[in-house]
Amino acid sequence: MRKSEKGPPGFRCVSVSPVFLLVDPTLEDAARTLSLTSPGGVDRHFARGGGARGRGETALVEVPGSTEKLVLRRLLHGGVLGPLLGPIFLGIGRPLRELRVTAELRSAGAPVPRPALALARRIAGPFRSLVVGTYLEPDAVDALSFLESGPDRPRLLRAASAVGRAVRRFHDEGGRHSDLHVKNLLIRERGDTTECIVIDLDKARITPGLTPGERMAQIMRLFRSLLKRGVLEPVGSRGCAQFFGAYCGKDRLLRRALWRRVDRELRKVAVHKLGYR
């Protein structure tokens, strides 16, 4: 296995051809009980569903003998290859890289889910169907669902601050998300406190020392997703300011560097709006 295709240290391979499974060692017995190493085992979990709705197929799976649950996500091609190839891949590197990046960021203290497994099932020859599993974050909902639920102003502003802090920590630890949008953030409220978890790290990378330009590009991608999903209005200028203030904190140099890029990024927003329905 090439270095680029290695999963996190300590994870175990419990594969049985035609299924390759790399799993958190605490899940080794559960993986067999759940039939994840059988050719049709993971497909049966997806048939039951239970996961969040989105572009990709997901399944919610209870861990035998535990109160924990797993979220399984089937990987898909995006862009121009999406309609052509869908869930069919060459090789197994993509889920292993996601698992490794997620584990490294979490170990560094970034607000990302706990990685559980990577699975590849051979379809024919070198072609594979790929799945990534993470532990469920209990009592959390994606940020789009949170906004569509109509939270009052104090809850919304707490959530905006939580998102700002989470994205800042994610970036400070070198996290570069390939698709930072409103559904790839989880919001968890506990009393008067709110936290945010950054999820779906497919094709994410760790690049220490992100520049202000790289940071702003990701922040504005998130902003465009609010606009595209029709939830920018409830966030409003106060919510955006709350996010920005929490992201920058007391770092005045970063704040000024990001602000210098606002006009340029807003011009990009205007171009993107032409393609929105």
Side-chain angles (χ1 to χ4, degrees):
M1 185 182 295
R2 297 193 301 271
K3 183 178 180 180
S4 62
E5 292 187 345
K6 289 184 178 180
F11 273 53
R12 295 182 184 174
C13 178
V14 291
S15 60
V16 178
S17 184
V19 176
F20 172 90
L21 177 65
L22 194 72
V23 67
D24 177 344
T26 64
L27 290 175
E28 189 170 351
D29 293 335
R32 295 190 177 93
T33 302
L34 293 168
S35 301
L36 294 182
T37 53
S38 67
V42 73
D43 291 331
R44 286 191 287 273
H45 292 297
F46 279 108
R48 297 188 190 102
R53 294 181 179 181
R55 183 175 67 87
E57 188 180 9
T58 62
L60 189 61
V61 178
E62 295 184 2
V63 178
S66 170
T67 59
E68 293 189 291
K69 297 180 181 179
L70 304 178
V71 178
L72 305 183
R73 189 181 81 256
R74 197 185 298 280
L75 300 190
L76 297 174
H77 285 283
V80 295
L81 293 178
L84 179 64
L85 298 177
I88 301 173
F89 291 83
L90 280 169
I92 62 175
R94 189 157 151 181
L96 297 183
R97 286 190 293 273
E98 178 177 346
L99 210 65
R100 188 180 68 250
V101 166
T102 304
E104 290 180 9
L105 285 170
R106 184 177 175 89
S107 178
V112 298
R114 180 183 167 199
L117 62 89
L119 184 147
R121 179 172 62 85
R122 187 169 65 246
I123 300 172
F127 298 106
R128 303 288 192 274
S129 171
L130 306 177
V131 172
V132 166
T134 56
Y135 287 87
L136 176 72
E137 292 289 341
D139 306 318
V141 299
D142 69 74
L144 179 62
S145 298
F146 172 81
L147 291 170
E148 291 179 337
S149 71
D152 60 25
R153 181 58 58 176
R155 289 178 60 209
L156 191 148
L157 295 180
R158 283 198 297 269
S161 291
V163 172
R165 290 191 299 269
V167 175
R168 172 68 187 270
R169 184 63 187 271
F170 181 80
H171 285 166
D172 282 354
E173 299 303 337
R176 179 183 288 191
H177 205 291
S178 68
D179 191 15
L180 188 64
H181 62 71
V182 67
K183 283 187 68 66
N184 282 339
L185 299 171
L186 296 182
I187 302 295
R188 178 160 52 209
E189 297 177 287
R190 289 175 173 166
D192 289 334
T193 63
T194 305
E195 60 181 325
C196 172
I197 303 104
V198 182
I199 63 170
D200 193 354
L201 302 187
D202 182 27
K203 295 191 287 186
R205 291 181 289 161
I206 297 178
T207 53
L210 286 177
T211 67
E214 291 167 334
R215 291 168 182 259
M216 194 60 176
Q218 294 225 325
I219 291 170
M220 293 305 291
R221 189 181 186 95
L222 175 58
F223 178 86
R224 292 196 302 270
S225 78
L226 297 174
L227 180 64
K228 185 175 181 179
R229 298 278 187 167
V231 290
L232 180 58
E233 184 175 348
V235 173
S237 58
R238 282 193 64 192
C240 292
Q242 199 81 7
F243 166 91
F244 196 74
Y247 184 92
C248 295
K250 297 180 179 179
D251 192 336
R252 295 182 179 179
L253 290 177
L254 177 60
R255 182 186 294 268
R256 286 197 292 268
L258 295 178
W259 268 117
R260 284 197 294 269
R261 288 160 174 83
V262 168
D263 288 343
R264 182 191 316 166
E265 292 294 337
L266 288 177
R267 288 194 291 270
K268 292 181 184 178
V269 171
V271 173
H272 280 271
K273 283 177 67 175
L274 298 176
Y276 297 161
R277 295 179 181 178

